[in-house]
């Protein structure tokens, strides 16, 4: 029996992780955390009986504590609570399925406590990859990617030498607006942007897919996870989301990982690495699959990718600014306070005014985030 902690159990990745726990029967959830969705969280806590349950929202946590009086589950809240879940003594592996930069501190503490990390929370690596990866090495823990593209690359690199990598080819579906013009995007609604053609995901990442910011975040994530330079990472469009990503080696050989678009697979692989265990669900049917389409990214229209490469080139706190500006802009868009294309305007404005701090500490990263948020609030974009 392996013990796991989950941060973000009520979300898209969190609930799919729990599907696997349910199906496999040899994983025990020892601690779990969510933001504020008390209804689902209480249901999950009652089903999986962890020793510790954290709701970020203090009031909701107090309510949960009352509701769980009939159990001996310890209910905690806030950042201290998240860290308690991340460092739960019994946990062998921590699934970071929380959305946003809130994941940075719990991930760092989990690593310090010697836990392997099944990492979905890409924002943490984007902002603090230079801290996370060396720390993981020092503490002897594994960072196991959950993001499907990175899981694909991780699988392709299994048994390969790092110095034989020529480049990583990250695939993008192109999202709901593939092939659309800037004019079209001017009037794109929240409802349009939430209609992802292949993947069913949380709201924030679905908007990030529509802007291509998600792919940008994944380029930065790949830079840290696989210790490659930005020039060695390329993005290609694969509209069916069947090729999850590829690696080209020095001799021109290309390895790809294929599968149906189902996040259960990369989540399960991270939990059971390096084993490919049975998994229910649809399989690729090569008799029906007539072709695999590949296309170029329209970087002029979908500027999310260029901002990501620029932030990587500038380094230090700039990827944090890119990410924080995007987090806030997406929240404003989801709230219908701004138009779709203004997401890019906000990112650009925040990056332009920022003075980079190189090799930032966690404190510098959080200060850069706070500064971006204050600037966006001041600008009154809505
Ligand atoms: P969702 O929005 O579906 O879920 C987010 C989860 O985080 C929820 O459980 C939410 O709780 C919890 N949460 C939010 N804020 C807090 C907080 N302050 N403290 C504790 N928990 C909090 O997101 P996804 O599952 O889609 O994405 C999670 C991460 O995984 C993101 O970083 C995303 O980029 C990445 N990812 C997701 C993929 C996917 O297929 N969904 C694919 C690859 C990567 P509550 O419900 O209570 O608000
Ligand atoms: Mg992905």
């Amino acid at each position: 029996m392996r013990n796991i902690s989950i941060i973000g159990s009520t979300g898209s990745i969190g609930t799919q992780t729990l599907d696997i726990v349910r199906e496999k029967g040899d994983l025990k959830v020892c601690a779990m955390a969510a933001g504020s969705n008390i209804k689902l969280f209480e249901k999950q806590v009652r089903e999986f009986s962890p020793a510790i349950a954290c709701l970020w929202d203090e009031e909701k946590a107090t309510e949960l504590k009352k509701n769980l009086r009939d159990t001996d589950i310890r209910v905690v809240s806030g950042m201290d609570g998240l860290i308690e879940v991340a460092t739960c003594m019994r946990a062998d592996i921590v699934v970071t399925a929380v959305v946003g930069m809130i994941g940075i501190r719990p991930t760092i503490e989990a690593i310090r406590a010697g836990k392997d990390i099944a990492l979905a929370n890409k924002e943490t690596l984007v902002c603090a990859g230079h801290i996370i990866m060396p720390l993981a090495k020092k503490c002897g823990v594994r960072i196991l990617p959950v993001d499907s593209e990175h899981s694909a690359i991780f699988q392709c690199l299994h048994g390969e030498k790092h110095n034989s990598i020529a480049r990583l080819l990250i695939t993008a579906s192109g999202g709901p607006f593939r092939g659309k013009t800037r004019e079209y995007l001017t009037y794109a609604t929240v409802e349009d942007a939430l209609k992802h053609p292949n993947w069913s995901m949380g709201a924030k990442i679905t908007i990030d897919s529509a802007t291509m910011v998600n792919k940008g975040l994944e380029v930065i994530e790949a830079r840290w996870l696989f210790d490659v330079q930005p020039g060695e990472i390329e993005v290609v469009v694969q509209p069916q989301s069947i090729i999850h990503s590829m690696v080209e080696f020095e001799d021109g050989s290309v390895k790809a990982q294929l599968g149906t678009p189902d996040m259960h697979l990369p989540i399960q692989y991270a939990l059971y690495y390096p084993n490919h265990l049975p998994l229910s669900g649809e399989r690729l049917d090569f008799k029906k699959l007539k072709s695999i389409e590949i296309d170029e990214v329209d970087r002029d229209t979908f500027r999310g990718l260029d901002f990501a490469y620029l932030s990587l080139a500038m380094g230090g706190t700039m990827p944090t600014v890119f990410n924080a500006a995007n987090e806030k802009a997406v929240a404003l868009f989801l709230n219908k306070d701004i138009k779709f294309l203004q997401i890019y305007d906000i990112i650009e404005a925040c990056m332009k005014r920022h003075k980079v701090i190189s090799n930032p500490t966690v404190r510098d990263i959080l200060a850069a985030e706070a500064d971006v948020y204050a600037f966006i609030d001041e600008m009154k974009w809505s």
Side-chain angles (χ1 to χ4, degrees):
M1 191 65 95
R2 286 220 311 154
N3 288 295
I4 69 171
S5 277
I6 308 176
I7 304 178
S9 64
T10 51
S12 163
I13 296 290
T15 50
Q16 293 181 87
T17 303
L18 291 175
D19 289 343
I20 291 166
V21 173
R22 226 178 257 121
E23 184 171 314
K24 285 280 166 279
D26 61 353
L27 295 169
K28 165 83 186 113
V29 181
C30 57
M32 60 208 281
S36 58
N37 183 349
I38 185 168
K39 210 166 158 207
L40 176 58
F41 191 62
E42 184 179 339
K43 208 164 150 234
Q44 293 179 334
V45 168
R46 287 197 179 274
E47 179 180 356
F48 293 96
S49 305
I52 310 167
C54 169
L55 268 181
W56 170 265
D57 186 304
E58 214 175 309
E59 265 177 42
K60 297 267 172 66
T62 308
E63 194 183 330
L64 182 71
K65 204 174 201 166
K66 272 194 212 135
N67 297 355
L68 293 176
R69 266 178 312 218
D70 58 321
T71 71
D72 52 9
I73 295 166
R74 184 174 148 70
V75 178
V76 290
S77 70
M79 183 51 77
D80 288 347
L82 287 190
I83 291 176
E84 214 174 304
V85 169
T87 56
C88 166
M89 211 162 62
R90 262 183 267 163
D92 301 301
I93 185 162
V94 177
V95 182
T96 61
V98 62
V99 62
M101 288 174 65
I102 195 89
I104 297 178
R105 287 188 53 206
T107 308
I108 289 178
E109 294 309 325
I111 297 171
R112 285 201 181 123
K115 317 291 182 194
D116 282 339
I117 309 288
L119 186 136
N121 177 229
K122 60 186 77 178
E123 296 89 349
T124 284
L125 268 192
V126 166
C127 303
H130 63 291
I131 297 172
I132 302 279
M133 296 313 287
L135 184 66
K137 198 168 173 191
K138 187 174 143 207
C139 298
V141 308
R142 293 188 291 208
I143 306 289
L144 301 152
V146 166
D147 211 342
S148 59
E149 294 76 5
H150 304 77
S151 175
I153 292 167
F154 193 58
Q155 292 176 54
C156 292
L157 289 177
H158 196 70
E160 301 288 356
K161 292 206 169 66
H162 187 269
N163 64 5
S164 65
I165 302 171
R167 56 183 176 149
L168 306 181
L169 293 146
I170 297 184
T171 51
S173 68
F177 299 144
R178 185 172 63 90
K180 302 290 190 218
T181 60
R182 241 187 120 70
E183 290 66 47
Y184 178 94
L185 295 181
T186 313
Y187 302 104
T189 64
V190 171
E191 291 73 22
D192 297 334
L194 284 175
K195 276 186 211 135
H196 196 284
N198 307 332
W199 297 97
S200 153
M201 308 182 285
K204 191 249 173 189
I205 185 175
T206 305
I207 303 301
D208 289 350
S209 300
T211 54
M212 289 292 269
V213 165
N214 182 48
K215 230 22 73 173
L217 296 174
E218 289 180 357
V219 167
I220 306 175
E221 192 184 358
R223 182 261 173 273
W224 293 115
L225 268 176
F226 305 112
D227 190 20
V228 291
Q229 292 310 307
E232 296 169 320
I233 310 170
E234 258 178 60
V235 176
V236 293
V237 175
Q238 206 287 295
Q240 299 133 308
S241 298
I242 283 173
I243 301 181
H244 297 312
S245 278
M246 304 180 266
V247 179
E248 183 184 312
F249 295 93
E250 287 292 354
D251 58 1
S253 168
V254 178
K255 270 189 177 178
Q257 187 261 338
L258 284 72
T260 51
D262 178 356
M263 285 306 296
H264 288 97
L265 194 153
I267 297 170
Q268 179 173 290
Y269 189 71
L271 292 176
Y272 288 95
Y273 170 81
N275 301 307
H276 287 279
L277 297 190
L279 179 67
S280 53
E282 248 185 86
R283 297 294 153 115
L284 277 187
D285 182 348
F286 287 94
K287 284 189 226 83
K288 285 194 191 137
L289 188 68
K290 295 286 180 239
S291 65
I292 294 183
E293 217 179 303
I294 300 277
D295 205 350
E296 270 184 73
V297 183
D298 173 1
R299 286 171 72 152
D300 293 334
T301 306
F302 299 95
R303 297 163 70 209
L305 203 51
D306 280 7
F307 289 135
Y309 275 106
L310 180 64
S311 77
L312 250 187
M314 298 184 79
T317 38
M318 197 53 99
T320 295
V321 170
F322 164 61
N323 179 65
N326 177 62
E327 278 191 30
K328 182 87 176 171
V330 170
L332 289 173
F333 175 68
L334 283 170
N335 206 30
K336 304 194 176 178
D337 288 334
I338 60 165
K339 297 213 162 58
F340 183 78
L341 287 176
Q342 282 184 296
I343 297 175
Y344 297 135
D345 297 340
I346 290 179
I347 296 172
E348 188 168 36
C350 291
M351 285 176 67
K352 266 198 179 145
R353 71 184 272 281
H354 181 68
K355 289 198 179 57
V356 174
I357 299 172
S358 24
N359 204 17
T361 60
V362 172
R363 187 188 283 241
D364 295 332
I365 290 169
L366 297 178
E369 178 198 35
D371 180 58
V372 164
Y373 280 18
F375 171 66
I376 297 174
D377 283 343
E378 257 169 48
M379 295 293 291
K380 303 211 185 324
W381 286 87
S382 42

